[in-house]
Amino acid sequence: MRNRLKEIADLALFAFVVEFGGISKCAVQLGLQRTTVSRRIKRLERTLGVRLLDRATNSVTTTTAGRGCFERGVGILTAAEEARRSALNERGEHGEPAGSGIVLAAPAIVLGQHLRAAIDRFQQRFEPADIVPMISDRWDDGLAAKADLAVVIGEVVSSTVQTVKLADVAQVLVASPRYLQQQGTPATLADLAKHRCVVDASDEARQSWLFRGEPASVSLDADRWQVVPDLLGAREAARAGLGIARLPAFVCAELAASEQLVPVLTEYELLSCPLSLVMPQRSVFRRDVVALKDQITAVFDTGPADLRQLEISSRVRRPSPPHGVSH
């Protein structure tokens, strides 16, 4: 049974090799190592006892046997998609959300501002498909069970997903003018021990804030935490004067520019964090999900300045300190 399952998976992979135009292109599109794809295609040829690809040319040319295997591979992918849709429909008949289209998870700001172009291109170039948005800042087991594709803040290390880094996200420390008027502006990292700090409950690194140089990190006193559920909650808590928050710069850039939030300790550089595109293994053989993944990657590779701002927006304009606030 196990060998049979491997053969079926290899047939489906072979279909993608032909469709994407070669082993190397297929490996890039699916986020696999080229050697892995090549090894699995050779394994399939050994199992079937036939040659599937003509490797004497620069482009992909299928043999007669290869064309037949391609059709079978497409049939496997089609059957898998039909089974998925059938399961979703059955869930709906039993009163559970049936779901449809592609479930795309991302932070609210990224979903609304930075992914719009990718979604529009996807829906223009491919047959209409529903994009079901899901608001989520970070990757976890719950999101893994629900999302077909996700853009999340932070590095994702898991053998069950494929990841692509879209950008390096600068981080800044911010507080409201009112908070700084009442509590004073920290002059050194050691001063953070005297302040309330807003922390995002979903951030596994919330106990320490990491910086370049010395000191490399600042440990936060849990007794002085203001815990909120997500990034937008952290931004709004800082805006309301509840403490100093560490935020991705793009999350607070507008409020900093309008002086509703004030960057503090800007002479210390927080370590950046990645903005990651995550695709669960179950989505690898879904052509619609792979196509949307390609559009998102392309937008971040060649997108407009507001996307590149994810990397440089730590340089948000630092407003003049409010009256009475010293440095």
Side-chain angles (χ1 to χ4, degrees):
M1 173 64 78
R2 181 179 299 178
N3 290 337
R4 181 59 176 161
L5 290 175
K6 286 182 179 179
E7 182 180 334
I8 291 172
D10 289 347
L11 278 168
L13 179 62
F14 176 71
F16 275 114
V17 168
V18 176
E19 182 166 321
F20 288 132
I23 289 175
S24 296
K25 292 180 180 178
C26 177
V28 171
Q29 294 292 336
L30 298 183
L32 300 174
Q33 293 291 327
R34 185 191 184 283
T35 53
T36 299
V37 177
S38 179
R39 174 173 50 79
R40 288 179 56 181
I41 297 305
K42 289 179 180 177
R43 180 176 68 187
L44 180 62
E45 289 178 322
R46 288 196 304 270
T47 300
L48 300 177
V50 294
R51 188 161 53 89
L52 302 176
L53 294 175
D54 183 358
R55 294 176 173 81
T57 61
N58 291 329
S59 60
V60 170
T61 303
T62 57
T63 63
T64 301
R67 287 189 289 274
C69 282
F70 171 69
E71 294 173 1
R72 292 184 180 89
V74 170
I76 290 170
L77 295 174
T78 302
E81 178 62 14
E82 289 175 353
R84 187 186 73 87
R85 293 187 182 278
S86 175
L88 290 174
N89 291 336
E90 185 173 342
R91 285 176 57 193
E93 291 172 1
H94 286 82
E96 302 176 38
S100 61
I102 301 173
V103 178
L104 174 62
I109 292 179
V110 173
L111 195 62
Q113 295 180 5
H114 303 297
L115 297 184
R116 188 70 263 165
I119 292 172
D120 289 345
R121 289 185 189 179
F122 171 77
Q123 293 181 327
Q124 288 170 4
R125 298 183 183 184
F126 301 91
E127 61 183 57
D130 291 332
I131 306 294
V132 182
M134 176 184 294
I135 305 302
S136 185
D137 296 329
R138 304 181 194 278
W139 186 259
D140 57 30
D141 291 340
L143 189 60
K146 299 174 183 176
D148 298 312
L149 197 63
V151 175
V152 295
I153 294 171
E155 185 177 5
V156 179
V157 180
S158 172
S159 61
T160 63
V161 300
Q162 297 175 9
T163 62
V164 176
K165 186 172 80 170
L166 297 174
D168 286 308
V169 179
Q171 300 190 95
V172 291
L173 298 179
V174 293
S176 71
R178 183 177 67 177
Y179 176 85
L180 296 177
Q181 284 176 337
Q182 294 173 349
Q183 305 297 328
T185 301
T188 67
L189 294 182
D191 290 343
L192 288 174
K194 309 171 188 175
H195 287 268
R196 296 194 304 271
C197 294
V198 178
V199 297
D200 171 6
S202 68
D203 182 4
E204 294 182 354
R206 61 183 176 273
Q207 295 182 344
S208 297
W209 289 349
L210 304 180
F211 295 82
R212 295 190 187 280
E214 296 292 337
S217 67
V218 173
S219 297
L220 305 181
D221 183 354
D223 292 336
R224 301 183 69 84
W225 286 0
Q226 299 291 320
V227 182
V228 294
D230 53 30
L231 282 174
L232 287 184
R235 185 187 70 179
E236 293 309 306
R239 185 182 186 182
L242 298 184
I244 297 173
R246 178 192 62 179
L247 294 172
F250 71 89
V251 171
C252 58
E254 288 186 10
L255 294 183
S258 63
E259 303 188 8
Q260 296 179 67
L261 287 175
V262 179
V264 298
L265 296 171
T266 54
E267 59 270 33
Y268 300 95
E269 183 183 359
L270 282 160
L271 291 184
S272 62
C273 62
L275 186 72
S276 302
L277 177 61
V278 186
M279 184 167 67
Q281 290 289 359
R282 68 174 184 278
S283 298
V284 167
F285 295 119
R286 284 189 57 183
R287 298 182 188 182
D288 53 350
V289 178
V290 172
L292 179 58
K293 167 181 171 283
D294 291 344
Q295 292 300 318
I296 292 174
T297 303
V299 165
F300 275 85
D301 283 345
T302 61
D306 65 330
L307 296 182
R308 294 193 294 274
Q309 186 182 12
L310 290 172
E311 299 183 7
I312 65 173
S313 57
S314 60
R315 304 169 191 168
V316 290
R317 181 169 62 90
R318 184 172 185 174
S320 301
H323 180 68
V325 177
S326 60
H327 289 277

